[in-house]
Amino acid sequence: MDGQRRWADKGEAIGHGVSWLSRWSLRAALAALGFWMVFWLIGTLWVVVLPVLLGLLITTVLWPPARWMMSRGMNSALAATIVLLVGLGVLGGVIAAISTSIASGVPEIRDSATKAISQLQEWAGGPPFNLKGSDLDRLIDQGVEQLKASIGSIANGLLTGAGAVTSGLVTGVVALLLAFFFVKDGMRFTPWLRGVIGERAGGHVTTVLERVWATLGSFIRSQAAVSLIDAVFIGLGLLILGVPLAVPLAALTFLGGFIPIIGAFIAGALAVLVALVSNGLTTAIIMLVIVVVVQQVEGNVLQPILQSRGLRLHAAVVLLVVTAGTSLYGIAGAFFSVPVAAAVAVVLRYLGEVIEARSVSTAPADGDEPVEADRSPE
């Protein structure tokens, strides 16, 4: 064994070390190249990968009631259709409620913003700025001219946004159709896969896929519970303080909870900003305290309890993967980064279990001679 080998001189020992380092450097370089090719392929086929990922996440929500219906003897196609239509109905109702709340709250925010601008003008007219009305008018005129000069880029941005909305709608429709087929025929996938790749490899792949699916479902359920608790308490704070748009902000808090760290920060900042514009500085400070307390309870109590068993990912790992996902694939990358990282962790843990099991099965018993390994040069 290399750990017990005696070298004739230092040159031989150094040569062996250089050879070992070269072999592992080549392996690391090939692995890095493989990862780069995977990321490149995902980026190239993102228009296909995104609806598949969305469809899988939707399936984790629709599968439990569909499985219950199938266990009662209902046809799989009918069960998938029912859960999908019910899910769309619930989503439509939520969107309608949010739209109604926004329509009723916007005039109040507009009036509050107008009042805040008047107060800002009065404050700017006093010391230490002592800006006169003409000075303010000149600054406003400069802003209007700058806005006119930028009208072309604004129009291009609006067209780009309209294209993004259209693409998002198409992606959503495709994801819903895929979710229907996943719910309807998902139970047949692993037996088909085992038949294609063989029983030996199929057993490993099936086990990994089942664990990944369980982890994905655990993530969605635990994150939904954490996000719901956040949304309820922040929404109650908004209602008690009399801040408009409480329902939409609570819904945004719920959705933002599925983007760890970043989503909660953005949703809380918007809640504080609306409170500042509509109700003043005191209400905004109180709202800030509520948001900080709720998010601290979420991060230090709820998530460790609800997600530690399912994901087993350190907070630093979560932050890094969310940052990487955001920089590579934008909002969608931030949304999918944690479940993808959890799935990769499941695969790595399974590989570790297989290696450990094989090491134990080939280890010598106490008092026995170790199994002679192949000592031929690599």
Side-chain angles (χ1 to χ4, degrees):
M1 297 176 66
D2 289 346
Q4 299 174 348
R5 184 178 298 176
R6 297 293 182 266
W7 309 107
D9 54 23
K10 291 184 179 181
E12 184 179 355
I14 293 174
H16 179 270
V18 172
S19 300
W20 180 89
L21 181 62
S22 300
R23 290 195 300 271
W24 278 103
S25 298
L26 178 60
R27 293 166 182 170
L30 292 175
L33 178 61
F35 282 119
W36 179 85
M37 293 180 64
V38 169
F39 282 117
W40 174 83
L41 185 62
I42 291 175
T44 304
L45 301 177
W46 186 244
V47 68
V48 177
V49 174
L50 179 57
V52 171
L53 295 177
L54 282 174
L56 288 174
L57 291 182
I58 296 172
T59 304
T60 60
V61 178
L62 301 181
W63 174 244
R67 180 178 57 187
W68 180 84
M69 294 180 186
M70 295 176 193
S71 66
R72 299 298 187 274
M74 184 177 293
N75 179 269
S76 60
L78 180 59
T81 302
I82 291 175
V83 295
L84 185 61
L85 292 178
V86 171
L88 288 175
V90 172
L91 180 62
V94 171
I95 293 175
I98 292 175
S99 302
T100 303
S101 178
I102 291 176
S104 62
V106 165
E108 182 178 353
I109 291 182
R110 183 184 63 242
D111 296 339
S112 300
T114 302
K115 186 184 300 183
I117 291 174
S118 300
Q119 293 175 353
L120 179 61
Q121 290 176 341
E122 294 178 0
W123 173 74
F129 299 102
N130 297 319
L131 292 177
K132 299 179 181 179
S134 58
D135 296 329
L136 292 174
D137 293 338
R138 179 170 52 81
L139 292 175
I140 293 174
D141 291 338
Q142 291 178 355
V144 171
E145 292 299 326
Q146 184 66 32
L147 183 63
K148 290 179 179 179
S150 306
I151 193 68
S153 59
I154 294 174
N156 292 332
L158 291 175
L159 291 176
T160 303
V165 170
T166 303
S167 177
L169 290 176
V170 173
T171 300
V173 172
V174 174
L176 290 173
L177 293 176
L178 289 175
F180 169 80
F181 290 114
F182 290 159
V183 174
K184 174 178 173 292
D185 300 321
M187 68 204 57
R188 303 186 182 96
F189 177 72
T190 51
W192 169 82
L193 186 62
R194 296 183 72 158
V196 170
I197 64 177
E199 189 65 26
R200 182 176 180 181
H204 292 293
V205 174
T206 299
T207 302
V208 170
L209 290 178
E210 290 175 351
R211 293 188 183 185
V212 168
W213 178 254
T215 300
L216 185 62
S218 174
F219 167 77
I220 294 296
R221 288 188 296 270
S222 60
Q223 197 64 41
V226 172
S227 300
L228 181 62
I229 294 173
D230 283 358
V232 168
F233 282 101
I234 291 179
L236 286 176
L238 292 168
L239 289 174
I240 293 173
L241 294 174
V243 178
L245 301 182
V247 174
L249 289 172
L252 182 63
T253 302
F254 176 77
L255 296 176
F258 287 91
I259 304 177
I261 302 173
I262 297 176
F265 174 78
I266 294 176
L270 285 176
V272 174
L273 180 61
V274 172
L276 176 63
V277 173
S278 60
N279 294 61
L281 180 60
T282 303
T283 303
I285 293 175
I286 297 174
M287 193 66 235
L288 177 62
V289 173
I290 293 175
V291 169
V292 170
V293 170
V294 170
Q295 291 183 357
Q296 288 299 313
V297 172
E298 170 208 334
N300 297 312
V301 179
L302 295 179
Q303 282 190 340
I305 293 176
L306 295 177
Q307 291 188 350
S308 59
R309 294 182 179 180
L311 300 184
R312 290 187 286 175
L313 292 177
H314 194 274
V317 176
V318 173
L319 179 59
L320 290 175
V321 297
V322 169
T323 304
T326 305
S327 62
L328 291 173
Y329 304 110
I331 296 177
F335 183 77
F336 289 111
S337 57
V338 175
V340 169
V344 172
V346 169
V347 175
L348 294 178
R349 283 195 291 267
Y350 182 77
L351 291 176
E353 292 176 7
V354 172
I355 293 173
E356 183 178 357
R358 292 183 177 179
S359 300
V360 171
S361 63
T362 58
D366 292 340
D368 295 339
E369 292 295 328
V371 178
E372 187 70 15
D374 183 11
R375 302 177 65 91
S376 58
E378 295 182 6

